[in-house]
């Protein structure tokens, strides 16, 4: 009986070379932007002790864990996010790490969630975090970096928007309403934009608010600027929010940000500013999300060290870039293909060796096939030029060549040929 090949697991992806080229493009721009902003790269293991996540990250993410018991009986989980690992790294080195510091990572993450457009069970997520400062400048740095990298991808201010809110502001407003349990209200606010106004009100009443408080909360949620909110209640924290918008404006990205009180964020550890990045048409799931978490290290058994950061997944971003036609041509770009008139494998290996020693990427046929077949292979590999290893004039530093885009042929040193590519 013929064995059936098991299919690709649900919610995962294969990365054929054409997909890897897209992936590398995204990672390159992410990495370049993070380095340009002075973030240093770090990594951790893909699995951690289960208890690093349970109870600390918020209900949703915990219900989405891929967890297992290993052969030594340890309860482990594939990492669903990077922030708890980062907190563990920070706790372990404690005072040794000079703070504040800015780190980034591009982890592969796993979440057992319903696979759908923009949400998979295995994905990559750029993380930028700043540890050890309570200054609002950290939020401004992160949000500017998001804008800079999205523009680097070729997106414009018309393509994305960053909604900024503050857990502290929400908490203060709920306190002013004398709401008994704010934790019951957050999930409703989080969903507020996705449900009809009547349902929103119904849910608030179900959560124990009376008519008047529900109305006030609705008015609050409809505010589109800090000035408007100031008219609703008194609060010490407005100046910090104003400073954040001011710094983002000075960085040149004010058009990309707005106050958006419906941004609540599902994760339990956020304590201050929270933000989410959306495509402007709002057709897609969030491109990125983050915020300030001042108590995470303490919750995980360390000292209290404040942090702020965000995660940007590769899935929605790639969808958006594809929609806007901003993904690179998925061609290989091999500079050199080496061919032999005599289909002589020895001379192919010898010449290829010389080119590679000089740092030039090249390939050649591994079968002794006809010359015309070798040219076909060079075209299929999208090579920029073909070097004729045993051309009549090929000698010493000089190589017979053909530039594939123009058809130009000749005999020159590699230095000269390179100028033509
Ligand atoms: P998050 O909101 O869970 O936050 O994820 C951030 C981003 O990761 C999302 O906006 C989305 O782009 C991507 N993402 C999340 N889940 C999936 C999925 N199933 N498939 C594809 N992409 C997904 C966090 O993870 C926080 N730890 C971010 C953070 C870093 N906060 C502070 N520092």
């Amino acid at each position: 009986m013929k064995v059936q090949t098991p299919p690709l697991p649900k919610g995962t992806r294969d990365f054929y070379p054409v997909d890897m080229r897209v992936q590398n493009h995204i990672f390159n721009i992410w990495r370049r932007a993070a380095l340009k902003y002075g973030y240093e790269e770090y990594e951790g293991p893909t699995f951690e002790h289960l208890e690093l996540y349970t109870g600390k990250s918020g209900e949703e993410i915990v219900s989405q864990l891929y967890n297992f018991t290993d052969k030594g009986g340890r309860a482990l989980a594939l990492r669903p996010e990077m922030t708890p690992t980062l907190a563990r790294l920070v706790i372990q080195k404690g005072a040794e790490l000079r703070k504040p510091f800015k780190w980034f990572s591009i982890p592969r993450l796993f979440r057992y969630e319903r696979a759908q457009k923009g949400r998979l069970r295995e994905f990559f997520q750029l993380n930028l975090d700043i540890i050890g400062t309570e200054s609002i400048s950290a939020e401004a740095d992160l949000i500017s970096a998001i804008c800079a990298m999205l523009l680097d991808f070729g997106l414009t201010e018309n393509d994305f928007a960053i909604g900024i809110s503050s857990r502290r502001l929400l908490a203060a407003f709920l306190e002013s309403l004398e709401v008994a349990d704010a934790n019951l209200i957050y999930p409703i606010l989080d969903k507020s934009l996705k449900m009809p106004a009547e349902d929103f009100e119904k849910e608030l009443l179900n959560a124990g608010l009376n008519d008047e408080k529900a109305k006030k909360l609705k008015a609050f949620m409809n505010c589109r600027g800090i000035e408007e909110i100031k008219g609703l209640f008194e609060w010490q924290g407005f100046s910090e929010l104003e400073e954040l918008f001011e710094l983002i404006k000075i960085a040149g990205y004010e058009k990309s940000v707005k106050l958006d009180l419906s941004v609540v964020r599902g994760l339990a550890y956020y304590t201050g500013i929270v933000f989410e990045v959306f495509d402007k048409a709002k057709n897609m799931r969030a491109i990125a999300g983050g915020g300030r978490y001042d108590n995470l290290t303490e919750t995980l058994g360390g000292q209290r060290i404040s942090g702020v950061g965000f995660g940007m997944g590769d899935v929605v971003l790639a969808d958006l870039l594809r929609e806007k036609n901003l993904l690179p041509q998925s061609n290989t770009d091999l500079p050199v293909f080496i061919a032999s008139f005599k289909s002589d494998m020895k001379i192919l290996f010898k010449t290829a060796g010389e080119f590679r020693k000089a740092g030039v990427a090249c390939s050649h046929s591994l079968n002794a096939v006809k010359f015309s077949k070798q040219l076909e292979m060079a075209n299929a590999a999208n090579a920029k030029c073909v070097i004729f290893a045993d051309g009549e004039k090929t000698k010493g530093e000089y190589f017979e060549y053909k530039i594939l885009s123009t058809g130009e042929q000749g005999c020159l040193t590699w230095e000269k040929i390179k100028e033509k590519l």
Side-chain angles (χ1 to χ4, degrees), residues 89-99 101 303 305:
L89 262 62
V90 171
I91 293 169
Q92 275 166 201
K93 290 252 168 163
E96 250 180 81
L97 296 168
R98 207 189 145 99
K99 293 172 215 51
F101 59 82
Q303 289 202 328
I305 302 168

Side-chain angles (χ1 to χ4, degrees), residues 61 80-83 109 111 113 118-121 123 125 127-129 265 267 269-270 276 286-291 293 308-316:
I61 239 180
E81 56 159 338
M82 198 60 173
T83 318
L109 303 181
R111 295 187 191 180
E113 65 173 310
R119 290 292 178 264
L120 298 176
R121 291 184 170 176
F123 60 99
Q125 189 197 60
N127 279 249
L128 259 62
D129 287 86
R265 309 271 301 131
L267 296 163
Y269 49 65
Y270 292 119
E276 241 159 30
I287 301 168
Y293 47 96
V308 52
F310 71 86
M312 180 185 295
D314 63 331
V315 183
V316 177

